[in-house]
Short mmCIF file of all heavy atoms in Angstrom, two decimals:
data_model
loop_
_atom_site.label_atom_id
_atom_site.label_comp_id
_atom_site.label_asym_id
_atom_site.label_seq_id
_atom_site.Cartn_x
_atom_site.Cartn_y
_atom_site.Cartn_z
N MET P 216 15.06 64.85 -44.22
CA MET P 216 14.88 63.48 -43.72
C MET P 216 13.40 63.18 -43.67
O MET P 216 12.60 64.04 -43.37
CB MET P 216 15.52 63.40 -42.33
CG MET P 216 15.50 62.03 -41.73
SD MET P 216 16.95 61.06 -42.14
CE MET P 216 16.31 59.80 -43.16
N SER P 217 13.05 61.98 -43.93
CA SER P 217 11.65 61.56 -43.91
C SER P 217 11.14 61.49 -42.47
O SER P 217 11.88 61.64 -41.51
CB SER P 217 11.51 60.21 -44.58
OG SER P 217 11.97 59.20 -43.72
N ASP P 218 9.85 61.22 -42.33
CA ASP P 218 9.26 61.10 -41.01
C ASP P 218 9.35 59.68 -40.45
O ASP P 218 8.77 59.39 -39.41
CB ASP P 218 7.82 61.59 -41.03
CG ASP P 218 6.94 60.78 -41.97
OD1 ASP P 218 7.46 59.95 -42.73
OD2 ASP P 218 5.71 60.99 -41.93
N ARG P 219 10.08 58.80 -41.12
CA ARG P 219 10.26 57.43 -40.61
C ARG P 219 11.10 57.44 -39.34
O ARG P 219 11.98 58.27 -39.18
CB ARG P 219 10.93 56.55 -41.66
CG ARG P 219 10.03 56.25 -42.83
CD ARG P 219 10.68 55.29 -43.78
NE ARG P 219 11.45 56.04 -44.74
CZ ARG P 219 12.35 55.53 -45.55
NH1 ARG P 219 12.62 54.25 -45.53
NH2 ARG P 219 13.00 56.28 -46.40
N GLU P 220 10.84 56.47 -38.46
CA GLU P 220 11.64 56.37 -37.24
C GLU P 220 13.10 56.09 -37.59
O GLU P 220 13.40 55.40 -38.55
CB GLU P 220 11.13 55.23 -36.36
CG GLU P 220 9.88 55.58 -35.61
CD GLU P 220 9.52 54.50 -34.61
OE1 GLU P 220 9.17 53.39 -35.07
OE2 GLU P 220 9.59 54.77 -33.41
N GLN P 221 13.98 56.63 -36.77
CA GLN P 221 15.42 56.45 -36.96
C GLN P 221 15.96 55.61 -35.81
O GLN P 221 15.50 55.73 -34.68
CB GLN P 221 16.12 57.81 -36.99
CG GLN P 221 15.63 58.69 -38.11
CD GLN P 221 15.38 60.11 -37.65
OE1 GLN P 221 15.71 60.50 -36.55
NE2 GLN P 221 14.80 60.89 -38.53
N TYR P 222 16.91 54.77 -36.13
CA TYR P 222 17.50 53.85 -35.16
C TYR P 222 19.01 54.00 -35.18
O TYR P 222 19.62 54.09 -36.24
CB TYR P 222 17.16 52.40 -35.50
CG TYR P 222 15.68 52.14 -35.55
CD1 TYR P 222 14.97 52.31 -36.73
CD2 TYR P 222 15.00 51.74 -34.41
CE1 TYR P 222 13.60 52.08 -36.78
CE2 TYR P 222 13.63 51.50 -34.46
CZ TYR P 222 12.94 51.68 -35.64
OH TYR P 222 11.59 51.46 -35.69
N ILE P 223 19.63 54.00 -34.00
CA ILE P 223 21.09 53.96 -33.91
C ILE P 223 21.49 52.50 -33.87
O ILE P 223 20.96 51.71 -33.07
CB ILE P 223 21.59 54.71 -32.67
CG1 ILE P 223 21.23 56.20 -32.81
CG2 ILE P 223 23.11 54.53 -32.51
CD1 ILE P 223 21.57 57.03 -31.58
N VAL P 224 22.42 52.12 -34.74
CA VAL P 224 22.85 50.73 -34.88
C VAL P 224 24.35 50.63 -34.57
O VAL P 224 25.15 51.37 -35.15
CB VAL P 224 22.58 50.21 -36.31
CG1 VAL P 224 23.03 48.77 -36.46
CG2 VAL P 224 21.12 50.38 -36.69
N GLU P 225 24.71 49.74 -33.66
CA GLU P 225 26.13 49.48 -33.39
C GLU P 225 26.61 48.45 -34.40
O GLU P 225 25.99 47.39 -34.56
CB GLU P 225 26.30 48.95 -31.97
CG GLU P 225 27.76 48.70 -31.61
CD GLU P 225 27.91 48.16 -30.20
OE1 GLU P 225 27.97 48.99 -29.28
OE2 GLU P 225 27.94 46.92 -30.06
N VAL P 226 27.70 48.76 -35.09
CA VAL P 226 28.26 47.87 -36.11
C VAL P 226 29.66 47.46 -35.66
O VAL P 226 30.53 48.32 -35.49
CB VAL P 226 28.33 48.55 -37.50
CG1 VAL P 226 28.93 47.62 -38.53
CG2 VAL P 226 26.94 49.03 -37.92
N ASP P 227 29.87 46.18 -35.46
CA ASP P 227 31.20 45.71 -35.09
C ASP P 227 31.83 44.96 -36.26
O ASP P 227 31.16 44.64 -37.23
CB ASP P 227 31.18 44.85 -33.82
CG ASP P 227 30.32 43.62 -33.93
OD1 ASP P 227 29.55 43.50 -34.91
OD2 ASP P 227 30.40 42.76 -33.04
N GLY P 228 33.12 44.75 -36.16
CA GLY P 228 33.84 44.07 -37.23
C GLY P 228 33.44 42.61 -37.33
O GLY P 228 32.96 42.00 -36.37
N PHE P 229 33.65 42.05 -38.50
CA PHE P 229 33.26 40.67 -38.76
C PHE P 229 34.19 40.09 -39.81
O PHE P 229 34.51 40.75 -40.80
CB PHE P 229 31.81 40.64 -39.28
CG PHE P 229 31.41 39.32 -39.87
CD1 PHE P 229 31.04 38.26 -39.05
CD2 PHE P 229 31.39 39.12 -41.24
CE1 PHE P 229 30.66 37.04 -39.59
CE2 PHE P 229 31.01 37.91 -41.79
CZ PHE P 229 30.64 36.87 -40.96
N GLN P 230 34.64 38.88 -39.60
CA GLN P 230 35.46 38.18 -40.59
C GLN P 230 34.83 36.82 -40.82
O GLN P 230 34.84 35.96 -39.95
CB GLN P 230 36.90 38.00 -40.07
CG GLN P 230 37.82 37.27 -41.01
CD GLN P 230 38.28 38.13 -42.18
OE1 GLN P 230 38.61 39.28 -42.01
NE2 GLN P 230 38.30 37.57 -43.36
N GLY P 231 34.24 36.64 -41.99
CA GLY P 231 33.61 35.37 -42.33
C GLY P 231 34.39 34.67 -43.42
O GLY P 231 35.43 35.14 -43.87
N GLU P 232 33.88 33.56 -43.86
CA GLU P 232 34.55 32.79 -44.90
C GLU P 232 34.53 33.51 -46.25
O GLU P 232 35.48 33.44 -47.01
CB GLU P 232 33.88 31.42 -45.05
CG GLU P 232 34.61 30.50 -46.00
CD GLU P 232 33.97 29.12 -46.04
OE1 GLU P 232 33.34 28.70 -45.05
OE2 GLU P 232 34.13 28.45 -47.08
N HIS P 233 33.44 34.22 -46.54
CA HIS P 233 33.30 34.86 -47.85
C HIS P 233 33.15 36.37 -47.82
O HIS P 233 33.04 36.99 -48.88
CB HIS P 233 32.08 34.27 -48.58
CG HIS P 233 32.19 32.80 -48.79
ND1 HIS P 233 33.06 32.24 -49.70
CD2 HIS P 233 31.57 31.77 -48.17
CE1 HIS P 233 32.94 30.92 -49.66
NE2 HIS P 233 32.05 30.60 -48.73
N SER P 234 33.13 36.95 -46.63
CA SER P 234 32.97 38.40 -46.53
C SER P 234 33.52 38.90 -45.21
O SER P 234 33.78 38.11 -44.29
CB SER P 234 31.50 38.79 -46.67
OG SER P 234 30.74 38.20 -45.63
N LYS P 235 33.68 40.23 -45.11
CA LYS P 235 34.12 40.81 -43.85
C LYS P 235 33.65 42.25 -43.76
O LYS P 235 33.37 42.90 -44.77
CB LYS P 235 35.64 40.75 -43.68
CG LYS P 235 36.43 41.71 -44.55
CD LYS P 235 37.91 41.62 -44.24
CE LYS P 235 38.69 42.61 -45.07
NZ LYS P 235 40.10 42.62 -44.70
N ILE P 236 33.56 42.72 -42.54
CA ILE P 236 33.31 44.13 -42.25
C ILE P 236 34.51 44.60 -41.43
O ILE P 236 34.78 44.06 -40.36
CB ILE P 236 32.02 44.33 -41.44
CG1 ILE P 236 30.80 43.88 -42.25
CG2 ILE P 236 31.87 45.79 -41.03
CD1 ILE P 236 29.50 43.90 -41.47
N ALA P 237 35.23 45.57 -41.95
CA ALA P 237 36.36 46.15 -41.24
C ALA P 237 35.91 47.47 -40.62
O ALA P 237 35.36 48.33 -41.32
CB ALA P 237 37.53 46.38 -42.18
N VAL P 238 36.12 47.64 -39.32
CA VAL P 238 35.72 48.84 -38.62
C VAL P 238 36.98 49.52 -38.13
O VAL P 238 37.73 48.96 -37.33
CB VAL P 238 34.78 48.50 -37.44
CG1 VAL P 238 34.36 49.76 -36.71
CG2 VAL P 238 33.56 47.73 -37.93
N CYS P 239 37.23 50.74 -38.65
CA CYS P 239 38.45 51.45 -38.28
C CYS P 239 38.20 52.96 -38.35
O CYS P 239 37.23 53.42 -38.93
CB CYS P 239 39.60 51.06 -39.20
SG CYS P 239 39.28 51.29 -40.94
N ASP P 240 39.12 53.73 -37.75
CA ASP P 240 39.00 55.18 -37.82
C ASP P 240 39.59 55.69 -39.14
O ASP P 240 40.05 54.89 -39.97
CB ASP P 240 39.62 55.85 -36.60
CG ASP P 240 41.13 55.72 -36.51
OD1 ASP P 240 41.78 55.33 -37.50
OD2 ASP P 240 41.68 56.03 -35.43
N ALA P 241 39.60 57.00 -39.33
CA ALA P 241 40.05 57.59 -40.59
C ALA P 241 41.51 57.29 -40.90
O ALA P 241 41.90 57.26 -42.06
CB ALA P 241 39.81 59.09 -40.58
N SER P 242 42.31 57.03 -39.87
CA SER P 242 43.73 56.72 -40.10
C SER P 242 43.96 55.22 -40.34
O SER P 242 45.08 54.81 -40.60
CB SER P 242 44.57 57.19 -38.91
OG SER P 242 44.30 56.39 -37.77
N GLY P 243 42.91 54.42 -40.21
CA GLY P 243 43.04 52.98 -40.42
C GLY P 243 43.21 52.17 -39.15
O GLY P 243 43.30 50.95 -39.21
N ALA P 244 43.23 52.85 -37.99
CA ALA P 244 43.36 52.13 -36.72
C ALA P 244 42.05 51.40 -36.41
O ALA P 244 40.97 51.97 -36.56
CB ALA P 244 43.70 53.10 -35.60
N PRO P 245 42.14 50.14 -36.00
CA PRO P 245 40.92 49.37 -35.72
C PRO P 245 40.10 49.97 -34.58
O PRO P 245 40.66 50.50 -33.61
CB PRO P 245 41.44 47.99 -35.34
CG PRO P 245 42.90 48.03 -35.41
CD PRO P 245 43.35 49.39 -35.76
N LEU P 246 38.79 49.88 -34.70
CA LEU P 246 37.87 50.27 -33.64
C LEU P 246 37.06 49.04 -33.25
O LEU P 246 36.83 48.15 -34.06
CB LEU P 246 36.91 51.35 -34.13
CG LEU P 246 37.51 52.70 -34.50
CD1 LEU P 246 36.46 53.59 -35.16
CD2 LEU P 246 38.08 53.39 -33.27
N ARG P 247 36.58 49.02 -32.02
CA ARG P 247 35.72 47.92 -31.57
C ARG P 247 34.39 47.95 -32.32
O ARG P 247 33.85 46.93 -32.70
CB ARG P 247 35.48 48.03 -30.06
CG ARG P 247 34.70 46.84 -29.51
CD ARG P 247 34.16 47.07 -28.10
NE ARG P 247 33.11 48.07 -28.05
CZ ARG P 247 31.86 47.90 -28.47
NH1 ARG P 247 31.50 46.75 -29.01
NH2 ARG P 247 30.97 48.86 -28.38
N ALA P 248 33.86 49.17 -32.54
CA ALA P 248 32.57 49.32 -33.22
C ALA P 248 32.43 50.75 -33.72
O ALA P 248 33.18 51.64 -33.28
CB ALA P 248 31.42 49.00 -32.26
N ILE P 249 31.50 50.97 -34.63
CA ILE P 249 31.06 52.30 -35.02
C ILE P 249 29.54 52.33 -34.87
O ILE P 249 28.89 51.28 -34.76
CB ILE P 249 31.47 52.70 -36.45
CG1 ILE P 249 30.88 51.74 -37.48
CG2 ILE P 249 32.98 52.83 -36.58
CD1 ILE P 249 31.04 52.20 -38.92
N TYR P 250 28.98 53.53 -34.88
CA TYR P 250 27.54 53.70 -34.74
C TYR P 250 27.00 54.38 -35.98
O TYR P 250 27.56 55.37 -36.45
CB TYR P 250 27.22 54.50 -33.47
CG TYR P 250 27.70 53.75 -32.25
CD1 TYR P 250 29.01 53.90 -31.80
CD2 TYR P 250 26.88 52.84 -31.61
CE1 TYR P 250 29.48 53.17 -30.72
CE2 TYR P 250 27.33 52.11 -30.53
CZ TYR P 250 28.64 52.28 -30.09
OH TYR P 250 29.09 51.55 -29.03
N CYS P 251 25.93 53.81 -36.52
CA CYS P 251 25.30 54.31 -37.73
C CYS P 251 23.83 54.57 -37.42
O CYS P 251 23.28 54.05 -36.45
CB CYS P 251 25.42 53.30 -38.86
SG CYS P 251 27.13 52.86 -39.25
N VAL P 252 23.19 55.38 -38.26
CA VAL P 252 21.77 55.65 -38.11
C VAL P 252 21.04 55.04 -39.29
O VAL P 252 21.49 55.13 -40.43
CB VAL P 252 21.51 57.17 -38.02
CG1 VAL P 252 20.02 57.45 -37.91
CG2 VAL P 252 22.27 57.77 -36.84
N ALA P 253 19.92 54.37 -39.01
CA ALA P 253 19.17 53.68 -40.04
C ALA P 253 17.69 54.01 -39.94
O ALA P 253 17.19 54.40 -38.89
CB ALA P 253 19.35 52.17 -39.88
N THR P 254 17.00 53.86 -41.08
CA THR P 254 15.54 53.90 -41.12
C THR P 254 15.06 52.60 -41.76
O THR P 254 15.80 51.95 -42.49
CB THR P 254 15.00 55.10 -41.94
OG1 THR P 254 15.49 55.02 -43.27
CG2 THR P 254 15.42 56.42 -41.31
N ARG P 255 13.81 52.25 -41.47
CA ARG P 255 13.25 51.01 -42.02
C ARG P 255 12.64 51.30 -43.38
O ARG P 255 11.83 52.21 -43.54
CB ARG P 255 12.20 50.44 -41.09
CG ARG P 255 11.64 49.10 -41.54
CD ARG P 255 10.62 48.54 -40.57
NE ARG P 255 11.06 48.55 -39.19
CZ ARG P 255 11.79 47.59 -38.61
NH1 ARG P 255 12.20 46.56 -39.30
NH2 ARG P 255 12.13 47.69 -37.35
N ASN P 256 13.03 50.53 -44.38
CA ASN P 256 12.45 50.65 -45.72
C ASN P 256 10.99 50.19 -45.62
O ASN P 256 10.73 49.06 -45.19
CB ASN P 256 13.22 49.78 -46.71
CG ASN P 256 12.67 49.85 -48.11
OD1 ASN P 256 11.51 49.49 -48.35
ND2 ASN P 256 13.50 50.28 -49.04
N PRO P 257 10.03 51.04 -46.01
CA PRO P 257 8.63 50.68 -45.82
C PRO P 257 8.17 49.49 -46.67
O PRO P 257 7.24 48.79 -46.30
CB PRO P 257 7.87 51.94 -46.20
CG PRO P 257 8.80 52.75 -47.02
CD PRO P 257 10.19 52.37 -46.59
N LYS P 258 8.81 49.23 -47.78
CA LYS P 258 8.41 48.11 -48.64
C LYS P 258 9.03 46.79 -48.20
O LYS P 258 8.37 45.77 -48.13
CB LYS P 258 8.76 48.40 -50.09
CG LYS P 258 7.92 49.50 -50.69
CD LYS P 258 8.22 49.72 -52.13
CE LYS P 258 7.36 50.84 -52.67
NZ LYS P 258 7.59 51.12 -54.07
N SER P 259 10.34 46.81 -47.92
CA SER P 259 11.04 45.56 -47.60
C SER P 259 11.12 45.29 -46.10
O SER P 259 11.34 44.15 -45.68
CB SER P 259 12.45 45.58 -48.18
OG SER P 259 13.25 46.54 -47.49
N GLY P 260 10.98 46.33 -45.28
CA GLY P 260 11.13 46.17 -43.83
C GLY P 260 12.58 46.15 -43.37
O GLY P 260 12.85 46.03 -42.19
N VAL P 261 13.51 46.27 -44.30
CA VAL P 261 14.94 46.21 -43.99
C VAL P 261 15.43 47.56 -43.48
O VAL P 261 15.06 48.61 -44.00
CB VAL P 261 15.73 45.80 -45.26
CG1 VAL P 261 17.23 45.89 -45.03
CG2 VAL P 261 15.33 44.41 -45.70
N LEU P 262 16.27 47.53 -42.44
CA LEU P 262 16.90 48.77 -41.98
C LEU P 262 17.99 49.16 -42.96
O LEU P 262 18.82 48.34 -43.35
CB LEU P 262 17.51 48.58 -40.59
CG LEU P 262 16.52 48.41 -39.44
CD1 LEU P 262 17.28 48.17 -38.14
CD2 LEU P 262 15.61 49.61 -39.31
N GLN P 263 17.99 50.45 -43.35
CA GLN P 263 19.00 50.96 -44.29
C GLN P 263 19.71 52.14 -43.64
O GLN P 263 19.06 53.05 -43.11
CB GLN P 263 18.33 51.41 -45.58
CG GLN P 263 17.64 50.26 -46.29
CD GLN P 263 16.85 50.71 -47.51
OE1 GLN P 263 16.07 51.65 -47.45
NE2 GLN P 263 17.06 50.02 -48.62
N PHE P 264 21.03 52.12 -43.70
CA PHE P 264 21.80 53.21 -43.11
C PHE P 264 21.58 54.52 -43.87
O PHE P 264 21.57 54.53 -45.10
CB PHE P 264 23.30 52.89 -43.12
CG PHE P 264 23.70 51.77 -42.19
CD1 PHE P 264 24.75 50.95 -42.51
CD2 PHE P 264 23.04 51.55 -40.99
CE1 PHE P 264 25.14 49.92 -41.67
CE2 PHE P 264 23.42 50.53 -40.14
CZ PHE P 264 24.48 49.72 -40.49
N VAL P 265 21.41 55.61 -43.10
CA VAL P 265 21.27 56.94 -43.69
C VAL P 265 22.40 57.87 -43.22
O VAL P 265 22.58 58.94 -43.78
CB VAL P 265 19.89 57.57 -43.37
CG1 VAL P 265 18.78 56.77 -44.03
CG2 VAL P 265 19.66 57.70 -41.88
N ASP P 266 23.15 57.44 -42.20
CA ASP P 266 24.31 58.20 -41.73
C ASP P 266 25.26 57.20 -41.09
O ASP P 266 24.83 56.23 -40.47
CB ASP P 266 23.87 59.27 -40.73
CG ASP P 266 24.93 60.35 -40.51
OD1 ASP P 266 25.89 60.45 -41.30
OD2 ASP P 266 24.80 61.11 -39.54
N TYR P 267 26.54 57.46 -41.23
CA TYR P 267 27.55 56.44 -40.92
C TYR P 267 28.67 56.97 -40.02
O TYR P 267 28.97 58.15 -40.04
CB TYR P 267 28.25 55.98 -42.21
CG TYR P 267 27.35 55.55 -43.31
CD1 TYR P 267 26.72 56.49 -44.12
CD2 TYR P 267 27.12 54.22 -43.55
CE1 TYR P 267 25.88 56.09 -45.14
CE2 TYR P 267 26.29 53.81 -44.58
CZ TYR P 267 25.67 54.75 -45.38
OH TYR P 267 24.84 54.36 -46.38
N GLY P 268 29.31 56.04 -39.33
CA GLY P 268 30.65 56.22 -38.82
C GLY P 268 30.87 57.03 -37.56
O GLY P 268 31.95 57.56 -37.36
N TYR P 269 29.90 57.10 -36.68
CA TYR P 269 30.17 57.77 -35.40
C TYR P 269 31.00 56.82 -34.54
O TYR P 269 30.71 55.64 -34.44
CB TYR P 269 28.85 58.12 -34.69
CG TYR P 269 28.06 59.15 -35.45
CD1 TYR P 269 27.02 58.78 -36.29
CD2 TYR P 269 28.38 60.50 -35.35
CE1 TYR P 269 26.30 59.73 -37.00
CE2 TYR P 269 27.66 61.45 -36.06
CZ TYR P 269 26.63 61.06 -36.87
OH TYR P 269 25.93 62.00 -37.58
N GLU P 270 32.03 57.37 -33.89
CA GLU P 270 32.92 56.52 -33.10
C GLU P 270 32.37 56.21 -31.72
O GLU P 270 32.82 55.26 -31.08
CB GLU P 270 34.31 57.14 -32.99
CG GLU P 270 35.06 57.10 -34.31
CD GLU P 270 36.51 57.52 -34.18
OE1 GLU P 270 37.11 57.34 -33.09
OE2 GLU P 270 37.05 58.02 -35.17
N THR P 271 31.40 57.00 -31.25
CA THR P 271 30.80 56.72 -29.95
C THR P 271 29.27 56.83 -30.06
O THR P 271 28.74 57.54 -30.92
CB THR P 271 31.26 57.71 -28.86
OG1 THR P 271 30.77 59.01 -29.16
CG2 THR P 271 32.78 57.73 -28.73
N LEU P 272 28.60 56.15 -29.15
CA LEU P 272 27.15 56.23 -29.08
C LEU P 272 26.72 57.67 -28.76
O LEU P 272 25.74 58.17 -29.31
CB LEU P 272 26.64 55.25 -28.02
CG LEU P 272 25.15 55.23 -27.76
CD1 LEU P 272 24.37 54.93 -29.03
CD2 LEU P 272 24.83 54.22 -26.68
N GLU P 273 27.47 58.33 -27.92
CA GLU P 273 27.14 59.70 -27.54
C GLU P 273 27.17 60.63 -28.75
O GLU P 273 26.31 61.51 -28.88
CB GLU P 273 28.09 60.21 -26.44
CG GLU P 273 27.92 59.50 -25.11
CD GLU P 273 28.48 58.07 -25.08
OE1 GLU P 273 29.39 57.74 -25.88
OE2 GLU P 273 27.97 57.27 -24.27
N GLU P 274 28.15 60.47 -29.64
CA GLU P 274 28.21 61.28 -30.86
C GLU P 274 26.98 61.05 -31.73
O GLU P 274 26.38 61.99 -32.24
CB GLU P 274 29.44 60.93 -31.70
CG GLU P 274 30.75 61.41 -31.17
CD GLU P 274 31.91 60.94 -32.04
OE1 GLU P 274 31.90 59.78 -32.49
OE2 GLU P 274 32.81 61.77 -32.26
N ALA P 275 26.58 59.80 -31.88
CA ALA P 275 25.41 59.47 -32.69
C ALA P 275 24.14 60.06 -32.07
O ALA P 275 23.31 60.63 -32.77
CB ALA P 275 25.28 57.96 -32.85
N ARG P 276 24.01 59.95 -30.76
CA ARG P 276 22.82 60.49 -30.09
C ARG P 276 22.77 62.01 -30.18
O ARG P 276 21.70 62.59 -30.30
CB ARG P 276 22.79 60.05 -28.63
CG ARG P 276 22.38 58.62 -28.48
CD ARG P 276 22.12 58.26 -27.05
NE ARG P 276 21.56 56.91 -26.99
CZ ARG P 276 21.76 56.08 -26.00
NH1 ARG P 276 22.51 56.44 -24.97
NH2 ARG P 276 21.21 54.88 -26.03
N GLN P 277 23.93 62.65 -30.11
CA GLN P 277 23.96 64.11 -30.22
C GLN P 277 23.54 64.54 -31.62
O GLN P 277 22.80 65.50 -31.79
CB GLN P 277 25.36 64.63 -29.90
CG GLN P 277 25.43 66.14 -29.87
CD GLN P 277 26.79 66.63 -29.41
OE1 GLN P 277 27.77 65.89 -29.35
NE2 GLN P 277 26.83 67.90 -29.05
N ALA P 278 24.01 63.83 -32.65
CA ALA P 278 23.68 64.18 -34.03
C ALA P 278 22.24 63.83 -34.39
O ALA P 278 21.62 64.48 -35.22
CB ALA P 278 24.65 63.47 -34.98
N TRP P 279 21.71 62.78 -33.78
CA TRP P 279 20.37 62.27 -34.09
C TRP P 279 19.58 62.11 -32.78
O TRP P 279 19.31 61.00 -32.32
CB TRP P 279 20.46 60.93 -34.81
CG TRP P 279 21.10 61.03 -36.15
CD1 TRP P 279 22.43 61.04 -36.45
CD2 TRP P 279 20.41 61.16 -37.40
NE1 TRP P 279 22.61 61.16 -37.79
CE2 TRP P 279 21.38 61.24 -38.41
CE3 TRP P 279 19.07 61.23 -37.75
CZ2 TRP P 279 21.05 61.37 -39.75
CZ3 TRP P 279 18.73 61.35 -39.08
CH2 TRP P 279 19.71 61.43 -40.07
N PRO P 280 19.18 63.20 -32.15
CA PRO P 280 18.54 63.11 -30.82
C PRO P 280 17.21 62.37 -30.82
O PRO P 280 16.78 61.89 -29.75
CB PRO P 280 18.37 64.57 -30.41
CG PRO P 280 18.46 65.36 -31.66
CD PRO P 280 19.32 64.58 -32.60
N ASN P 281 16.53 62.26 -31.95
CA ASN P 281 15.25 61.56 -31.99
C ASN P 281 15.36 60.08 -32.33
O ASN P 281 14.35 59.38 -32.36
CB ASN P 281 14.30 62.23 -32.97
CG ASN P 281 13.95 63.63 -32.54
OD1 ASN P 281 13.82 63.91 -31.35
ND2 ASN P 281 13.81 64.54 -33.47
N ALA P 282 16.58 59.62 -32.60
CA ALA P 282 16.78 58.21 -32.95
C ALA P 282 16.64 57.34 -31.71
O ALA P 282 17.00 57.74 -30.61
CB ALA P 282 18.14 58.01 -33.59
N ARG P 283 16.15 56.13 -31.92
CA ARG P 283 15.99 55.17 -30.83
C ARG P 283 17.29 54.45 -30.57
O ARG P 283 18.08 54.20 -31.39
CB ARG P 283 14.93 54.14 -31.22
CG ARG P 283 13.60 54.77 -31.34
CD ARG P 283 12.62 53.73 -31.86
NE ARG P 283 11.33 54.08 -31.30
CZ ARG P 283 10.46 53.22 -30.85
NH1 ARG P 283 10.69 51.96 -30.91
NH2 ARG P 283 9.32 53.62 -30.37
#
């Protein structure tokens, strides 16, 4: 992993007119949110996910203790 700062991001489901984000567990059951870890792209400034799909904030923090 690079030395860039890491951020824990809460991702919730979304249903829009032209797109959607479905958040569910491995069996397909809906979840309120998942937690992902991101770093900031140094050129664009955009946060990009580097790890995905933790079901709780505590799981994400345990896996990525230095993430904000």
Side-chain angles (χ1 to χ4, degrees):
M216 184 90 248
S217 76
D218 61 351
R219 290 185 271 166
E220 283 188 293
Q221 300 135 9
Y222 302 89
I223 296 175
V224 180
E225 182 181 274
V226 179
D227 59 349
F229 167 79
Q230 179 76 42
E232 186 176 334
H233 300 288
S234 61
K235 73 176 182 175
I236 296 173
V238 180
C239 56
D240 68 13
S242 70
L246 295 172
R247 186 194 68 74
I249 60 170
Y250 298 87
C251 302
V252 178
T254 60
R255 185 178 311 274
N256 180 299
K258 291 183 180 180
S259 69
V261 173
L262 290 177
Q263 298 174 311
F264 291 148
V265 295
D266 197 14
Y267 308 80
Y269 294 98
E270 289 189 28
T271 67
L272 178 57
E273 292 74 24
E274 287 177 319
R276 285 190 173 148
Q277 186 174 14
W279 295 84
N281 295 325
R283 294 174 149 220

